Amino acid sequence: MTILTSLAKALAAYSMTPQQLTVYRHLHISSKPIVIVPLTLAGETNAPLAAMVGPDRARPTLIVTRQPRNRAERIEFAGRLASELLFPIETAAQQTQATGPGPNARLRVVDAPQLWVPNPAGIEFIRTLGRMTRLRFIEGPWAVPKKVRDLGIWLTWFAEQAEFADTGALIAATQAIAAVWATGQSDLEDGNLAAQMAWLAPPEGMDVAAAVSRAENPQLCPPAGPSTDPTFDRLFLEPALRDLATARNPAAHNAVHRRLTAMLEEQMRPTWELTWTAIDLLRDVPEAPRVPKRWEQQRDRFTSFHRYVADGGRPQAKRDSAGRSAQRLAELEQRMAAFEAQRAYDDPLVIADHRLTGEAFAGQVVDVDPARRVPGLRRNMLRPLVTVATGDQTHLDVGQHVYDPARNGQQAVIESVTETEDGWRIELELHNQMGSGLTAKPGSVPTLGEDVTYTSVTETFVRRRPWPTRDETPWTHGGPPPDSTPVVEDAAEDWS
Amino acid sequence: MTTPHDRAEIKTAQILTAFTDGGHRGVVVDSPPGAGKSTLVGRVGTEIAAAGDPVAVVAQTNAQVDDLVVKIANRLPGLPVGRLSRDGYQPPPTVLLPNVQVASRVDDLPDCRVVVGTAAKWAQVQTARTWPWAIVDEAYQMRSDMLLLIVPLFEQMLLVGDPGQLDPFSPIDGERWAGLPWDPMQSAVAVLLRNNPHIVPHELPVTWRLPASATRLVQTAFYPFSQFAPGTHDGERATHVPTVGIRRTAVDEVIDLAAGSGWGFLELPHRNTLRTDAETVAATADVAVRLLQRGTETRCEQAPGGRRLTAARIAVGAAHRDQVAAITRALRARGEIADGIRVDTANRLQGAEFDITVILHPLSGRIDATPFHLTPGRLCVLTSRHRHACIVVGRRGIPELLDAHPGTEPVHLKGFIKFPDGWEANQAVLAHLANHRVSAPH
């Protein structure tokens, strides 16, 4: 937890009002988000019980398994979820535009689907459901409908995208809210969507304190899932499931199932509403300037993965190979660093946080030599010197590269740091983004008296040797793994 | 009776033979702190190069690379040594020896018998060349994903490193790969050994840095399965503090205690504080400055007649960068005498050596013990940089804090397990420090 977050939480607790942590929202919000509120049955990993799903707040689709203890019914559940999700995915993929005018332009979807779940456990549900379905056969003795396997492939893709810091594909509402607002309660309490939303959108006529204690009552605010409230399980769910198992004829079964559906809807409806309210609240926060660019990249990823699936691509492997895992780690790190830097460049409150930890400083230009040149390898290079007076406690050293968020991350190197009576004087040599000539482009060098900010936070992009393919795995990492071709028997369950 | 020198020499010869004659693709050498790791790297590199084969040397930081370049170039006058660097790298003047060439592309160094670069730089190399021999220094600080990229460049590799120091770090949660034998978050050596169980690491037998008073503790706390001995015996290293303070304070007492026994623990009253706790920071700075004010002298095998302790031979270590910044400010406020004392985080002190170290205990004043603070490598680095004495500064209550925070990290099937765990290592160090404690009054 950063200093600013701690302060914001203390202020929120003191004033009983949520405090904004960032000026902007650093998350793209789709014009047509799809919300999924899943519920699972206690006792077994990811046994789906029901889900409320759809892009329309007023008319959610309700999917309830006919008999949650029956494993075949889980495939049936996945099939019904597939009908809801694969259609918007396909629709989005059909509408494309060129990335640019030239001959090298690629196609990019106009808009990509965005899934919302109430909390991180919802993401875990998506991931596990994807794992359960993507590796099934679509022919042979244990065949499942193709849409079930396709759903598995897509859910896995969404869940894997959600591991990236800058993701916009699958979002947990509690995390999206916590990225913008601090409440006066603990992180654990913020993990409960109802408790978190009690701070941000208390029910009509109720103050925050009353709303928060109301959120603790599982009868009024059922858990956001996928796990259900144990009291609900004992008093309502268990008897209903028993009746379902003992129903003698289809009519009786249908009657019980209608009862079950009604009670599960009651459990999911409040979370459904809260998730949509969360989306609306976030939508009202102004979007950060670098969000559209990131969303464009996310659309590219969606486009290329859709092409992969459409071309009959195989489902994602159970485990990452050596090369794949290293590549994935590099991508996770690179995107996290880029997101962190973009947030800092966009948002004054984020950069303030970096100033507090000494990774950025703000001050006034007290001396500038905009025409300074130094001899380079072939010709003289423009290297203006800028001296900044700051009161910030930095621990950046001489030789450190720093970047100017106001000038699109213009790079400078710290030449010297001198302590003065009221702070420090930091001398910087500017390195780029001044045009190609020997005089700097107008506006590219700070002027005397200008207020400037510099930070060491930056996007890192490292060019590397290619990652090895499966067959190129070197001896240090176990060598090429033995080839495995899936066979029908893999689908048999091991009961030993 | 064999002397430590003989034993180290025999081991070095064994390693050289195993590497050059054994036909092994990989040889691993584990080294305790100060056991002559970079000397070994320099020597093996030199001998192979002198025999006529090209050698690639991989280190982890630019400072380590520069250091190795100088070492090897001095031993190989007349043979060109390449320093692989990024564009625009300005090598320090010490590196610019007549037989050193600097280039950012390895193909620009075709004549160099030895090419030295950071792992990150080697991981960018685009070339059709391969090297028959490669030496990787600080291999436990290199992540396995880096190794994955550079292995195809080399035919046979010698990996040298200190298993007790800080593990490589990533801000990413790597649970996805936990238990995989090629987990990219693990160190290069851990992955190599997991996939090649027949490779048995060699161990360097003598620590030249640590005094006898520290060897036993460091070994039991951080290297429970290794056998290494100090290169000097008890009487050979001594610290003498000639000036007696007029009004003796706890700081003076802890200095006297450490001068006599090699360890001192200045314990401040219990309090839960911010990381940059003003009192602890001040006490840490006081100890460092007081060592100089009192004219401390050290006697050792390098200076049998004794020599005056200088600021450059003192290091102050802490866990966090803001603590380092606070201590630096505190030292600056104490005037010129403190100029030259190195203040740094554990990460950056790795590989460095000093006569006396003063460390701010990572758990001092905290209300919790996170995995960051419990990493055994962090404490190991801090308590194994000194040749004479180590003085720890911290608040009372660390053992209680440890007891209240046993490790809660999940354990994964087939996960990489490292002994000892940080909790246990911390307890061992604290138990030892309890016998060298000076309590500061309120």
Side-chain angles (χ1 to χ4, degrees):
Chain A
M1 197 158 59
T2 65
I3 301 176
L4 266 190
T5 318
S6 313
L7 175 66
K9 276 183 176 285
L11 278 177
Y14 179 74
S15 63
M16 286 309 271
T17 33
Q19 304 288 317
Q20 204 156 338
L21 289 169
T22 55
V23 174
Y24 296 108
R25 154 172 59 81
H26 297 270
L27 172 72
H28 171 86
I29 296 192
S30 163
S31 56
K32 225 180 166 199
I34 302 166
V35 173
I36 306 176
V37 177
L39 286 185
T40 56
L41 190 66
E44 201 175 342
T45 305
N46 218 55
L49 180 62
M52 201 174 250
V53 54
D56 185 349
R57 182 176 188 164
R59 284 182 298 135
T61 306
L62 195 61
I63 305 172
V64 178
T65 42
R66 294 186 58 76
Q67 171 47 275
R69 294 208 169 108
N70 179 345
R71 292 188 173 190
E73 284 294 332
R74 293 179 195 169
I75 298 297
E76 181 67 22
F77 172 89
R80 286 159 70 194
L81 190 58
S83 310
E84 294 300 319
L85 290 182
L86 293 181
F87 179 69
I89 288 173
E90 207 49 49
T91 316
Q94 293 316 318
Q95 289 173 334
T96 55
Q97 64 195 33
T99 51
N104 293 327
R106 290 162 293 115
L107 285 179
R108 175 190 293 144
V109 296
V110 178
D111 197 14
Q114 185 177 53
L115 303 188
W116 283 75
V117 288
N119 51 24
I123 294 180
E124 183 61 15
F125 172 85
I126 298 283
R127 190 184 72 81
T128 338
L129 189 64
R131 190 179 65 184
M132 189 177 100
T133 47
R134 73 171 187 266
L135 297 165
R136 306 257 170 194
F137 281 95
I138 50 174
E139 49 204 19
W142 290 288
V144 301
K146 180 169 179 299
K147 66 176 179 182
V148 169
R149 196 193 64 166
D150 286 354
L151 176 82
I153 293 174
W154 276 107
L155 290 185
T156 305
W157 184 79
F158 278 105
E160 288 189 342
Q161 287 297 312
E163 290 176 28
F164 291 96
D166 61 348
T167 187
L170 169 60
I171 295 150
T174 53
Q175 287 176 332
I177 291 278
V180 180
W181 288 284
T183 68
Q185 59 194 1
S186 72
D187 288 348
L188 197 69
E189 289 164 311
D190 272 348
N192 176 6
L193 184 62
Q196 195 182 33
M197 292 301 288
W199 283 80
L200 291 157
E204 278 299 317
M206 211 181 264
D207 66 357
V208 168
V212 169
S213 44
R214 175 182 176 270
E216 284 176 7
N217 182 349
Q219 271 174 313
L220 298 172
C221 299
S227 302
T228 44
D229 172 29
T231 312
F232 165 79
D233 284 359
R234 186 162 47 85
L235 297 182
F236 302 98
L237 187 59
E238 218 280 321
L241 291 182
R242 208 184 313 126
D243 294 348
L244 206 58
T246 51
R248 295 267 165 89
N249 53 55
H253 190 277
N254 284 344
V256 179
H257 197 258
R258 272 197 299 279
R259 198 177 96 215
L260 180 68
T261 306
M263 65 172 70
L264 288 173
E265 181 179 1
E266 219 173 280
Q267 288 291 303
M268 289 183 287
R269 180 67 82 166
T271 307
W272 171 265
E273 295 295 340
L274 285 176
T275 309
W276 283 102
T277 311
I279 295 173
D280 290 344
L281 277 175
L282 284 163
R283 199 176 268 140
D284 289 342
V285 180
E287 187 177 76
R290 284 174 172 81
V291 167
K293 181 75 195 162
R294 278 203 298 277
W295 182 242
E296 202 172 275
Q297 291 163 346
Q298 189 59 38
R299 278 153 54 204
D300 279 337
R301 288 184 202 108
F302 173 77
T303 312
S304 71
F305 191 73
H306 181 267
R307 190 172 318 120
Y308 170 83
V309 177
D311 291 348
R314 298 225 310 217
Q316 299 91 334
K318 253 189 211 166
R319 277 182 283 273
D320 291 341
S321 68
R324 183 79 190 92
S325 50
Q327 180 187 10
R328 195 176 166 78
L329 176 58
E331 196 186 348
L332 281 162
E333 286 181 337
Q334 191 257 322
R335 279 173 65 180
M336 178 186 258
F339 181 55
E340 208 28 66
Q342 290 170 7
R343 261 167 41 99
Y345 291 4
D346 278 347
D347 203 308
L349 275 172
V350 178
I351 201 86
D353 227 345
H354 289 295
R355 284 172 62 188
L356 286 170
T357 57
E359 280 163 83
F361 60 90
Q364 204 173 38
V365 177
V366 290
D367 194 9
V368 59
D369 179 0
R372 178 170 168 270
R373 285 164 203 169
V374 296
L377 276 181
R378 287 182 207 93
R379 59 193 181 100
N380 283 354
M381 296 180 298
L382 181 64
R383 289 285 180 268
L385 270 188
V386 176
T387 309
V388 181
T390 175
D392 290 352
Q393 301 267 9
T394 78
H395 32 76
L396 302 175
D397 297 325
V398 171
Q400 169 82 48
H401 289 236
V402 290
Y403 306 85
D404 181 355
R407 290 188 168 75
N408 196 25
Q410 181 183 49
Q411 191 187 63
V413 176
I414 299 184
E415 291 287 300
S416 69
V417 181
T418 2
E419 193 169 359
T420 58
E421 276 168 18
D422 52 353
W424 280 266
R425 272 169 183 256
I426 300 175
E427 196 181 31
L428 301 159
E429 187 185 80
L430 303 189
H431 273 217
N432 61 9
Q433 303 197 21
M434 293 170 293
S436 52
L438 274 181
T439 29
K441 269 188 331 196
S444 64
V445 176
T447 52
L448 205 61
E450 189 179 328
D451 290 321
V452 288
T453 307
Y454 284 92
T455 173
S456 60
V457 178
T458 178
E459 296 191 33
T460 49
F461 176 75
V462 188
R463 190 179 293 282
R464 293 193 188 83
R465 294 168 53 76
W467 299 105
T469 61
R470 262 175 67 93
D471 296 334
E472 291 164 356
T473 308
W475 63 273
T476 50
H477 288 63
D483 205 31
S484 78
T485 316
V487 288
V488 170
E489 284 69 36
D490 291 348
E493 287 196 57
D494 184 1
W495 291 101
S496 61
Chain B
M1 200 186 102
T2 55
T3 64
H5 277 279
D6 295 339
R7 271 185 290 153
E9 192 50 45
I10 292 168
K11 191 75 222 177
T12 308
Q14 276 177 7
I15 292 166
L16 252 172
T17 319
F19 185 41
T20 53
D21 294 347
H24 303 299
R25 283 190 294 190
V27 173
V28 176
V29 178
D30 282 0
S31 161
K37 191 161 24 97
S38 31
T39 311
L40 176 75
V41 171
R43 180 159 160 201
V44 175
T46 319
E47 295 205 3
I48 296 176
D53 277 349
V55 187
V57 179
V58 184
Q60 307 310 315
T61 64
N62 278 306
Q64 289 164 1
V65 171
D66 288 340
D67 197 40
L68 283 169
V69 167
V70 173
K71 232 173 226 162
I72 295 171
N74 278 329
R75 280 163 166 252
L76 287 173
L79 278 181
V81 173
R83 201 286 185 212
L84 200 55
S85 65
R86 65 176 152 79
D87 278 328
Y89 171 76
Q90 299 287 335
T94 46
V95 174
L96 295 172
L97 299 166
N99 58 336
V100 172
Q101 297 176 13
V102 182
S104 64
R105 290 170 29 144
V106 74
D107 287 340
D108 293 342
L109 301 166
D111 311 322
C112 288
R113 198 63 72 72
V114 183
V115 180
V116 192
T118 58
K121 184 64 201 175
W122 279 108
Q124 297 171 18
V125 160
Q126 301 284 349
T127 180
R129 268 179 85 180
T130 58
W131 280 256
W133 307 102
I135 307 170
V136 183
D137 193 11
E138 300 287 3
Y140 282 92
Q141 269 74 61
M142 180 164 92
R143 249 176 25 193
S144 73
D145 52 348
M146 204 62 101
L147 180 68
L148 187 65
L149 287 178
I150 63 174
V151 174
L153 294 167
F154 313 129
E155 280 161 35
Q156 298 187 49
M157 287 197 295
L158 175 70
L159 298 105
V160 186
D162 180 345
Q165 298 210 3
L166 280 161
D167 286 330
F169 169 79
S170 172
I172 300 295
D173 168 31
E175 198 174 329
R176 179 186 180 92
W177 304 293
L180 285 184
W182 47 79
D183 183 347
M185 315 271 284
Q186 295 293 329
S187 83
V189 183
V191 163
L192 180 137
L193 292 178
R194 165 68 65 93
N195 286 291
N196 299 275
H198 60 276
I199 296 180
V200 180
H202 295 263
E203 285 177 7
L204 293 183
V206 179
T207 167
W208 302 106
R209 175 192 308 148
L210 293 179
S213 61
T215 308
R216 172 172 270 265
L217 170 64
V218 169
Q219 185 175 320
T220 45
F222 302 107
Y223 303 87
F225 307 120
S226 300
Q227 293 292 329
F228 57 88
T232 52
H233 53 81
D234 269 330
E236 243 175 304
R237 298 251 175 107
T239 312
H240 173 56
V241 192
T243 317
V244 182
I246 295 174
R247 279 185 304 153
R248 279 176 65 79
T249 60
V251 170
D252 285 323
E253 274 180 48
V254 82
I255 288 175
D256 290 336
L257 188 61
S261 68
W263 291 96
F265 179 31
L266 179 59
E267 194 178 59
L268 277 66
H270 174 261
R271 182 174 295 166
N272 290 332
T273 62
L274 286 174
R275 288 212 301 235
T276 51
D277 170 18
E279 283 175 21
T280 323
V281 164
T284 312
D286 283 341
V287 171
V289 169
R290 196 71 182 143
L291 280 167
L292 292 169
Q293 285 173 341
R294 291 181 62 189
T296 309
E297 288 166 7
T298 57
R299 186 163 55 76
C300 65
E301 69 284 4
Q302 290 169 3
R307 67 180 164 199
R308 185 81 180 260
L309 178 73
T310 60
R313 299 298 303 159
I314 300 180
V316 180
H320 293 281
R321 290 183 63 186
D322 50 3
Q323 294 172 333
V324 166
I327 297 170
T328 310
R329 277 195 296 280
L331 283 174
R332 211 182 293 139
R334 280 159 179 74
E336 271 181 21
I337 189 166
D339 285 357
I341 296 181
R342 167 108 177 252
V343 189
D344 233 326
T345 55
N347 296 54
R348 296 195 190 193
L349 287 174
Q350 288 190 102
E353 178 175 294
F354 302 89
D355 280 338
I356 297 188
T357 54
V358 185
I359 63 179
L360 175 53
H361 198 286
L363 294 170
S364 169
R366 291 192 61 85
I367 54 166
D368 62 351
T370 68
F372 175 89
H373 300 94
L374 286 178
T375 311
R378 186 157 280 107
L379 194 61
C380 180
V381 169
L382 291 172
T383 53
S384 62
R385 299 300 100 201
H386 62 283
R387 300 183 74 241
H388 286 276
C390 174
I391 300 172
V392 182
V393 180
R395 289 200 173 268
R396 179 184 275 278
I398 301 175
E400 292 78 7
L401 176 71
L402 270 179
D403 287 346
H405 292 86
T408 51
E409 294 291 280
V411 177
H412 295 276
L413 286 176
K414 297 186 184 173
F416 288 74
I417 296 174
K418 224 176 140 178
F419 282 107
D421 81 332
W423 192 86
E424 203 179 330
N426 264 288
Q427 292 281 22
V429 171
L430 283 172
H432 182 82
L433 288 177
N435 303 323
H436 302 265
R437 182 165 48 190
V438 173
S439 296
H442 282 274

